[in-house]
Amino acid sequence: MAAHGRPAGPEVIWSRPERSGRGPRPAHSRAEIAAAAVRVADAEGIDAASMRRVAAEIGCGTMSLYNYVPRKEDLYELMVDAVCAEYDLSAPPSGDWRADMLGLARQARAIMHRHPWLPRLLSPAHGFSPNALRYLEHCLAVLESLDADTGTRLEVISMVNGIVTAYVDTELSMAERDRTSPFPPGAEQAARSAYVARVLAEGRHPRLAAAYERAPWPLDMDAQFERAVNRVLASFERESGGGGAGDGSGRSGEGTQVS
């Protein structure tokens, strides 16, 4: 073991015991450290959640924090795992895998909005923490009613998570643009829309003009999200030749507000 508790080589923090069987109880727990980092990132952004800042938040020295969290990457791992605990996985699979996966997608979207830094940290590297594994196990239980092999079921999970992350990332970018704009909310988007309308009125882009004229405005982001996820799920249902209870569409919740 290197200085300040840092491992000599690559090590997954979950394979390292939080506390050895001997000696005094540590002054701080991983849960406490993760909660402090999440609080800082929620309030000020992920870049503010430095080792120094998190150490100050829990009341210890920066070098002391390295005894608990050897690397910044490990701190991120703790943070992602902490917010993964927010999934409500208490209900057993209903047998309608599409409806259940849509429900999980809605939860994921809500979690990312509560923690806007999360899409930036999501990667396969953070997919195997205790709470992430709990989530994956639940998803695989949900997908047992999909007539497909395990690889395809894992692909469903990956694609749903990917589309939720991309969708929320766009929503957060739009919100950040409004937040930092010197103009009233929506003013810049209205100016862009007016510009596009003027260009399309010139007649050089007839197909785009027709599509733009028929497009609903303002966009219903909730309904658009539901459609996007449902289309991904429907593609897997078609490949499997069906599967799931009822029509498996999960359409009963389309357009509902995410809590």
Side-chain angles (χ1 to χ4, degrees):
M1 186 70 70
H4 307 306
R6 297 179 185 179
E11 182 181 62
V12 178
I13 192 169
W14 310 111
S15 66
R16 183 185 184 192
E18 184 167 6
R19 179 191 179 196
S20 64
R22 296 173 295 179
R25 179 181 295 275
H28 306 284
S29 68
R30 285 178 182 167
E32 179 188 3
I33 294 166
V38 168
R39 282 197 304 273
V40 171
D42 285 352
E44 302 174 40
I46 190 62
D47 292 331
S50 65
M51 298 293 276
R52 182 185 299 275
R53 178 64 186 280
V54 173
E57 190 79 7
I58 65 173
C60 77
T62 305
M63 291 300 102
S64 296
L65 182 60
Y66 282 108
N67 290 320
Y68 300 92
V69 187
R71 304 176 302 157
K72 183 69 170 290
E73 186 68 17
D74 294 324
L75 181 64
Y76 290 160
E77 188 101 21
L78 294 179
M79 294 170 69
V80 172
D81 186 66
V83 298
C84 278
E86 296 179 18
Y87 279 104
D88 180 2
L89 308 178
S90 58
S94 69
D96 185 339
W97 66 270
R98 279 185 60 181
D100 288 353
M101 288 303 298
L102 178 58
L104 289 167
R106 290 171 180 154
Q107 286 198 56
R109 183 185 178 210
I111 290 170
M112 291 181 199
H113 275 283
R114 289 197 294 272
H115 308 289
W117 47 268
L118 182 57
R120 182 170 159 185
L121 294 191
L122 289 179
S123 76
H126 298 130
F128 300 98
S129 65
N131 283 314
L133 291 174
R134 172 175 159 263
Y135 164 80
L136 289 171
E137 179 68 19
H138 181 81
C139 288
L140 287 173
V142 162
L143 291 170
E144 283 187 348
S145 58
L146 169 63
D147 183 16
D149 58 37
T150 301
T152 300
R153 291 171 181 172
L154 289 171
E155 190 176 344
V156 173
I157 300 168
S158 177
M159 289 191 70
V160 169
N161 287 341
I163 196 168
V164 174
T165 302
Y167 195 88
V168 173
D169 200 35
T170 298
E171 289 184 302
L172 294 174
S173 295
M174 292 169 63
E176 179 65 11
R177 187 172 62 193
D178 268 349
R179 188 185 70 81
T180 57
S181 172
F183 305 106
E188 290 200 60
Q189 185 58 45
R192 288 186 177 86
S193 296
Y195 161 75
V196 171
R198 287 196 303 272
V199 170
L200 295 182
E202 296 171 0
R204 289 178 294 171
H205 311 285
R207 295 174 185 82
L208 186 56
Y212 192 82
E213 185 178 346
R214 297 187 185 100
W217 190 262
L219 291 177
D220 184 335
M221 298 298 285
D222 295 328
Q224 191 177 65
F225 172 79
E226 305 265 322
R227 287 193 297 272
V229 175
N230 266 315
R231 283 166 181 157
V232 170
L233 298 175
S235 69
F236 283 98
E237 186 174 51
R238 285 193 297 271
E239 286 182 12
S240 71
D247 69 359
S249 68
R251 290 189 178 88
S252 61
E254 278 198 9
T256 56
Q257 182 68 40
V258 174
S259 59

